[in-house]
Amino acid sequence: MLQVQNLAVSYQGVCAVNSISFSIEPGKLVGVIGPNGAGKSTMIKAMLGLIGSSSGVVKFYSRPLKQQLKQVAYVPQRSQIDWDYPITVWNVVMMSRTVHTGWFKEPSYQSKEIVKAALKRVGMWELQNRQIGELSGGQQQRVFLARALAQQAELLFFDEPFTAIDKKTEEIVFEIFFELKAQNKTLLVISHDLGENLSYYDRFLLMNKQMIADGSKSEVLTAVNLQKAYGHLTIQ
Ligand SMILES: Nc1ncnc2c1ncn2[C@@H]1O[C@H](COP(=O)(O)OP(=O)(O)OP(=O)(O)O)[C@@H](O)[C@H]1O
Ligand SMILES: [Mg+2]
């Protein structure tokens, strides 16, 4: 069970996230939605301790999440990844195994098999030797999905995984999300797209600096809540 209590983050004294509290049961696919600049990425980064928070407690099964980062797979927003970094598809995915094998150690046979299975699962096995900068946007997203899979984490955070991907890839991503859910993993997926796939989610967190609504699709995506978050209605 993931629990966030009273999380707040400021950048140079300007509040980006305030009084965020929620908890998520395992085996759930939860969508984090809200407009650009709402603090969605900031919230996830603060939960992982990648940036400092001015207040807040984040626990996973009653222990601080920061002490269990091995259990968390995080796929950052595309804009936060250095796509010119010289690294192959295989190595990006293999990096996720270092939480299990340690740095500077030769990967185990088991790790190689896990990486291979993850690359095959997302249809990127044939491109394993490519540099990540030489892939299309959708292929890059698939590689990072494979990396999250190979980590075999309990908690998975995806920041805008549907940016730059086509319908077919989107279907593969949701299929994989459902498989992870069936394995009782917890999935937190940021998306500012209030598109067609809303019914795939078990629950939504609607935020704009603060939490505006938390609950099922019908509870959260009301005209009043969307007005509060976006300032205008964006849902059909
Ligand atoms: N490193 C930073 N320094 C200063 N301000 C920042 C920094 N990163 C983000 N911000 C500001 O914090 C606020 C929240 O940003 P954040 O990236 O968390 O929003 P978001 O909800 O993820 O938006 P998007 O949908 O565009 O990805 C914004 O106003 C942004 O300008
Ligand atoms: Mg963001």
Side-chain angles (χ1 to χ4, degrees):
M1 155 95 116
L2 174 69
Q3 288 172 298
V4 175
Q5 287 159 359
N6 202 26
L7 188 66
V9 183
S10 293
Y11 292 110
Q12 291 99 39
V14 180
C15 166
V17 161
N18 199 17
S19 312
I20 294 277
S21 298
F22 61 89
S23 54
I24 305 176
E25 304 287 333
K28 296 281 184 241
L29 171 57
V30 178
V32 179
I33 51 177
N36 291 136
K40 305 180 297 295
S41 300
T42 299
M43 176 183 82
I44 297 248
K45 285 188 255 181
M47 286 170 68
L48 293 169
L50 297 173
I51 55 172
S53 46
S54 41
S55 77
V57 179
V58 183
K59 289 184 174 169
F60 189 50
Y61 289 105
S62 309
R63 283 181 40 229
L65 184 64
K66 283 181 219 169
Q67 294 171 11
Q68 312 173 66
L69 293 180
K70 234 173 139 167
Q71 300 297 338
V72 193
Y74 166 53
V75 178
Q77 199 163 357
R78 279 186 61 75
S79 57
Q80 314 239 329
I81 296 170
D82 179 4
W83 296 105
D84 295 326
Y85 191 83
I87 185 167
T88 63
V89 165
W90 172 269
N91 283 331
V92 166
V93 182
M94 184 53 88
M95 267 166 58
S96 69
R97 299 298 307 163
T98 56
V99 298
H100 300 282
T101 54
W103 287 99
F104 312 117
K105 289 213 182 97
E106 179 62 23
S108 65
Y109 172 76
Q110 190 201 10
S111 280
K112 287 180 188 165
E113 287 298 306
I114 289 168
V115 168
K116 183 174 164 184
L119 283 170
K120 286 197 163 171
R121 182 68 190 85
V122 302
M124 288 300 294
W125 174 243
E126 277 72 33
L127 297 179
Q128 59 172 293
N129 294 319
R130 273 278 181 96
Q131 296 289 316
I132 54 161
E134 296 168 353
L135 298 172
S136 75
Q139 290 168 338
Q140 288 170 336
Q141 293 286 58
R142 289 180 187 218
V143 172
F144 276 77
L145 179 60
R147 189 176 76 151
L149 282 179
Q151 193 183 328
Q152 299 186 319
E154 287 305 310
L155 195 53
L156 295 104
F157 294 164
F158 295 90
D159 197 343
E160 307 278 2
F162 302 110
T163 309
I165 67 171
D166 58 24
K167 270 271 161 275
K168 185 166 161 267
T169 308
E170 196 171 300
E171 275 165 31
I172 294 171
V173 175
F174 273 111
E175 257 176 42
I176 291 171
F177 285 175
F178 294 150
E179 285 168 21
L180 292 165
K181 249 178 65 140
Q183 295 163 20
N184 221 27
K185 315 264 183 186
T186 308
L187 289 99
L188 203 58
V189 179
I190 296 180
S191 178
H192 60 239
D193 173 28
L194 294 175
E196 302 150 24
N197 295 322
L198 295 174
S199 47
Y200 290 158
Y201 294 89
D202 297 305
R203 192 172 136 201
F204 293 96
L205 305 177
L206 174 62
M207 61 182 285
N208 195 350
K209 283 191 189 175
Q210 304 190 8
M211 191 66 79
I212 291 172
D214 172 357
S216 67
K217 184 180 159 197
S218 60
E219 286 165 337
V220 171
L221 300 177
T222 64
V224 170
N225 286 338
L226 292 170
Q227 169 76 31
K228 271 191 212 161
Y230 290 86
H232 60 91
L233 300 183
T234 53
I235 196 161
Q236 290 98 27

